[in-house]
Amino acid sequence: MTNITLALGDITEQSVDAVVNAANSSLLGGGGVDGAIHRRGGSDILDECRDLRASRYGKGLPAGQAVATTAGRLPARWVIHTVGPVFSTTEDRSATLASCYRESLRVADELNALTVAFPAVSTGVYRWPLDDAARIALTTVRDADTAVTEARFVLFDQRAYDAFETALNALPPA
């Protein structure tokens, strides 16, 4: 069973086996978590992302999928890039958001990563409501069949931390 923990802070400072990046489909960096990971991790991450774009992901990484690269200068061993869905009021994309977490854990298992730090995928520029994103993320990770021993949700501000804490405390028993 995966131990779920919450932390308030900077995901780029987490000493874990793998850090999950809330990437955009280009894999070439962007704003928010994605930009912070690329800046702090350095050019090795971008170089591997470019190689992925030149080979398997010529059209970009589809939403809900995940792929790993080196972590460069981050204190983690790997970065697992996942592309969250943009929130929509007219289309239920929650299965795609859940897939981000499941696929990230699948990649972590392939890497034999036991500790994984997650951001709140899709809650920034993709506008997913925090309370709903927290419920989906925590339920998906709790219910996943994975060898990961710790899933650490690293929340950038108090508002996000509070939303995840409330959702974690409201989870029904597994």
Side-chain angles (χ1 to χ4, degrees):
M1 184 159 154
T2 303
N3 183 35
I4 296 174
T5 60
L6 306 178
L8 181 62
D10 183 344
I11 198 165
T12 69
E13 297 175 353
Q14 302 301 306
S15 294
V16 291
D17 293 329
V19 168
V20 174
N21 180 19
N24 63 54
S25 64
S26 79
L27 296 175
L28 302 179
V33 169
D34 193 20
I37 285 174
H38 276 275
R39 280 191 302 278
R40 176 108 191 258
S43 61
D44 290 349
I45 297 171
L46 183 58
D47 290 345
E48 283 193 32
C49 285
R50 284 187 176 130
D51 289 346
L52 287 166
R53 285 298 306 272
S55 59
R56 293 189 299 178
Y57 299 104
K59 294 181 179 178
L61 184 66
Q65 294 191 19
V67 65
T69 65
T70 180
R73 295 190 307 260
L74 296 175
R77 295 175 66 193
W78 299 284
V79 173
I80 298 172
H81 307 267
T82 191
V83 179
V86 174
F87 180 73
S88 170
T89 57
T90 59
E91 178 185 347
D92 181 6
R93 298 176 179 168
S94 54
T96 304
L97 182 56
S99 180
C100 291
Y101 293 97
R102 263 193 312 280
E103 286 297 302
S104 294
L105 290 169
R106 181 190 59 76
V107 171
D109 285 341
E110 289 175 358
L111 298 168
N112 294 315
L114 297 178
T115 55
V116 178
F118 286 98
V121 176
S122 286
T123 62
V125 71
Y126 290 178
R127 301 179 319 278
W128 205 286
L130 262 172
D131 295 343
D132 192 48
R135 178 189 58 77
I136 292 167
L138 293 165
T139 301
T140 302
V141 169
R142 183 202 59 190
D143 294 346
D145 181 16
T146 179
V148 169
T149 58
E150 182 191 0
R152 183 182 310 160
F153 287 87
V154 183
L155 295 314
F156 185 73
D157 61 22
Q158 192 64 50
R159 186 170 150 264
Y161 184 93
D162 291 347
F164 271 73
E165 185 177 48
T166 298
L168 184 60
N169 290 334
L171 279 183

